[in-house]
Amino acid sequence: MSTMLGLQCEKERMLWALMDGDTRGTATMVSSGSRPLPKKSRQEKLHWIFREVTEMVLSHSPGSIHLNEAEAGQSMKASTLERAQMDGVVLAAAEQAQQEVLTYKWPGLRSRYKLGSKDLILDHVATLQASAGTPRSRLIPVIVAIAELPE
């Protein structure tokens, strides 16, 4: 059975889901959460993310790490740049722990799930046992964690 750690960085929080399973349909959630970033300088926030990811990897020993990557879209907003910084820190922490990170953007997820939109993917994953009890607003770490698994 595989253990996957799914991560999503947002402007002021980091969401995560630790999943076990061999297929999307049978995968189960071991734990999940949302951690607000500390009310400190940007440098201290990024260091906090590094420590949190390192601790998760050491505590849970996932077989793989999956990250929902920041996307620029048509305009480059400050929040997108902040997310990109956070994503870079996740990659650095994973590298230090000798863990490969698989990164995902929505076009790739649509291809993996064979569904045409973000909303369709959210609707589909919400029906799986892996996401039982998880609010829709916190499903993205689940989506990326189980993306490589067969249906």
Side-chain angles (χ1 to χ4, degrees), residues 23-84:
T23 69
R24 290 183 198 150
T26 60
T28 57
M29 184 179 297
V30 176
S31 60
S32 68
S34 171
R35 294 189 176 145
L37 272 63
K39 304 280 186 215
K40 297 184 176 187
S41 72
R42 188 72 187 149
Q43 182 176 344
E44 290 169 310
K45 287 178 182 182
L46 294 173
H47 188 241
W48 177 87
I49 292 165
F50 188 91
R51 289 191 321 266
E52 287 293 307
V53 172
T54 300
E55 183 180 313
M56 283 185 211
V57 169
L58 293 174
S59 297
H60 302 293
S61 301
S64 56
I65 299 173
H66 305 256
L67 175 65
N68 176 243
E69 201 170 24
E71 295 184 60
Q74 299 221 338
S75 64
M76 198 62 141
K77 298 178 184 175
S79 60
T80 304
L81 293 173
E82 289 172 357
R83 274 199 62 199

Side-chain angles (χ1 to χ4, degrees), residues 92-131:
E95 176 63 25
Q96 179 176 299
Q98 298 180 340
Q99 286 273 338
E100 180 182 9
V101 178
L102 301 170
T103 59
Y104 302 91
K105 293 182 182 172
W106 283 105
L109 288 168
R110 288 193 299 269
S111 176
R112 285 242 166 250
Y113 281 88
K114 296 179 178 52
L115 294 168
S117 72
K118 177 180 178 178
D119 284 332
L120 289 173
I121 296 170
L122 286 163
D123 292 344
H124 171 68
V125 172
T127 67
L128 300 176
Q129 78 176 22
S131 64

